[in-house]
Amino acid sequence: MTIYDLHAHSDFSDGVLPPRAVVARAKLCGVDVLALTDHDSVAGLDAACDAAREHDLTLIPGVEISVTWEKYLVHILGLCVDRTNATLLHGLARLQAIREQRAQQMAQRLEKHGMPDALAGAFRHAPNGLVTRRHFALYMVELGIAPTLPKIFERYLRPSKPGYVATQWVALQEAVSWINAAGGVAVVAHPQRYDMSATTRRRLMEQFSAHGGAGIEVVCGDSAPDVVHSSAALAERFGLLASVGSDFHDPASRWTGLGQLTALPPNVQPIWSHARFRG
Ligand code: AMP
Ligand code: MN
Ligand code: MN
Ligand code: MN
């Protein structure tokens, strides 16, 4: 049986390990096919591909794109993308600029709340220069503001909290079109994690499909059976292929074992049945 893990982060976004170490760890964990899907960046893929050749593992070049859809932050995975595609790279450059600007605004707010040098502090945790809320949270744990990342998010970094900056990312249609332009397969990441009603979620899936999206992440990390069931129902209803991924960020986290995923339910078609996975 082939073990797939199609959602993982390196230190080119908010993962802890460099791409080579993610690949090595995936191999140790028994993964046969791994997608590296950093937030808004494909810069870690060269190193990941080299390492995958050395470890005899199949590396799927991927990305996780930040989208603003209606009032929600939604993540769209691009799998099997051509990492040299100009349309995709141009789009990701736009997102990286949005991130930089947001980081400056976040730092200003956090400094007002007594966190000195927040921008420099966050950048220190982001060796490749792409800053996420997670990097701010790591700095704040270091300052002793709270003991864990979830507590920091809860108190400071979630919507309506003092360090939160409402951000206009890119449109759903743009993200899907860049992924398709790069020859990739677009997948809605962790569909049950968005704080939206079931009706709104169905509207998201309908529009995603109409824009040319192909898949939905049915198994994500520690997904409970009811979560898998709900996502599988969406896959069936909207004719989407089913993906699986750990959303690995950090080997120290107890949730995110690479490749430690439950099997897809029998009523869905796996994303790896897509032609792009065979070529
Ligand atoms: P950003 O893309 O900059 O908004 O950062 C979002 C990232 O923060 C996500 O990809 C997660 O890795 C991380 N994150 C979000 N919520 C939490 C949480 N409650 N606890 C820990 N990490 C979180
Ligand atoms: Mn992340
Ligand atoms: Mn995500
Ligand atoms: Mn992710």
Side-chain angles (χ1 to χ4, degrees):
M1 196 180 64
T2 307
I3 308 284
Y4 292 86
D5 188 336
L6 302 178
H7 187 165
H9 296 272
S10 77
D11 66 1
F12 276 81
S13 64
D14 59 357
V16 166
L17 303 177
R20 289 182 160 280
V22 177
V23 170
R25 190 176 174 86
K27 185 71 186 181
L28 270 177
C29 294
V31 174
D32 301 300
V33 182
L34 172 76
L36 185 69
T37 54
D38 275 310
H39 296 287
D40 307 324
S41 172
V42 291
L45 290 174
D46 281 346
C49 287
D50 286 349
R53 264 191 297 277
E54 288 161 25
H55 289 283
D56 191 27
L57 174 148
T58 302
L59 194 285
I60 302 290
V63 64
E64 182 172 16
I65 298 183
S66 309
V67 159
T68 299
W69 177 77
E70 298 190 352
K71 63 177 178 174
Y72 303 97
L73 166 64
V74 170
H75 282 171
I76 304 297
L77 295 165
L79 300 176
C80 309
V81 293
D82 169 6
R83 64 186 182 278
T84 66
N85 179 268
T87 304
L88 178 63
L89 290 172
H90 192 258
L92 296 180
R94 220 176 96 199
L95 278 158
Q96 288 156 18
I98 294 171
R99 273 194 180 277
E100 284 212 29
Q101 203 180 20
R102 180 185 70 151
Q104 287 173 17
Q105 293 168 338
M106 278 182 71
Q108 279 173 9
R109 293 198 189 183
L110 292 170
E111 280 169 21
K112 280 196 197 123
H113 278 82
M115 276 150 263
D117 304 319
L119 191 60
F123 265 104
R124 257 207 323 279
H125 288 279
N128 294 294
L130 184 141
V131 173
T132 71
R133 277 184 289 164
R134 193 180 171 95
H135 297 112
F136 280 97
L138 287 168
Y139 176 58
M140 288 157 75
V141 168
E142 187 184 299
L143 288 179
I145 309 280
T148 65
L149 297 183
K151 287 211 161 64
I152 298 277
F153 271 85
E154 209 174 290
R155 290 185 206 162
Y156 290 95
L157 302 181
R158 287 164 56 92
S160 83
K161 300 297 174 181
Y164 185 78
V165 174
T167 307
Q168 189 66 36
W169 300 100
V170 301
L172 179 64
Q173 184 166 14
E174 290 178 296
V176 173
S177 73
W178 302 341
I179 291 164
N180 287 341
V185 181
V187 173
V188 175
H190 40 68
Q192 309 299 332
R193 251 193 247 163
Y194 309 122
D195 190 10
M196 55 178 68
S197 70
T199 312
T200 305
R201 207 182 314 278
R202 285 194 292 271
R203 188 164 68 248
L204 167 64
M205 300 319 304
E206 191 174 358
Q207 292 184 14
F208 172 73
S209 176
H211 291 321
I216 174 171
E217 202 170 48
V218 168
V219 172
C220 181
D222 59 326
S223 295
D226 59 323
V227 169
V228 172
H229 183 81
S230 304
S231 299
L234 288 173
E236 274 199 297
R237 178 168 177 151
F238 295 99
L240 296 166
L241 300 171
S243 191
V244 302
S246 61
D247 202 5
F248 172 82
H249 284 76
D250 180 354
S253 159
R254 66 197 176 100
W255 294 122
T256 48
L258 278 159
Q260 315 296 299
L261 300 164
T262 52
L264 280 174
N267 57 326
V268 296
Q269 283 277 102
I271 192 90
W272 47 90
S273 65
H274 193 285
R276 277 294 290 163
F277 277 75
R278 285 184 253 117

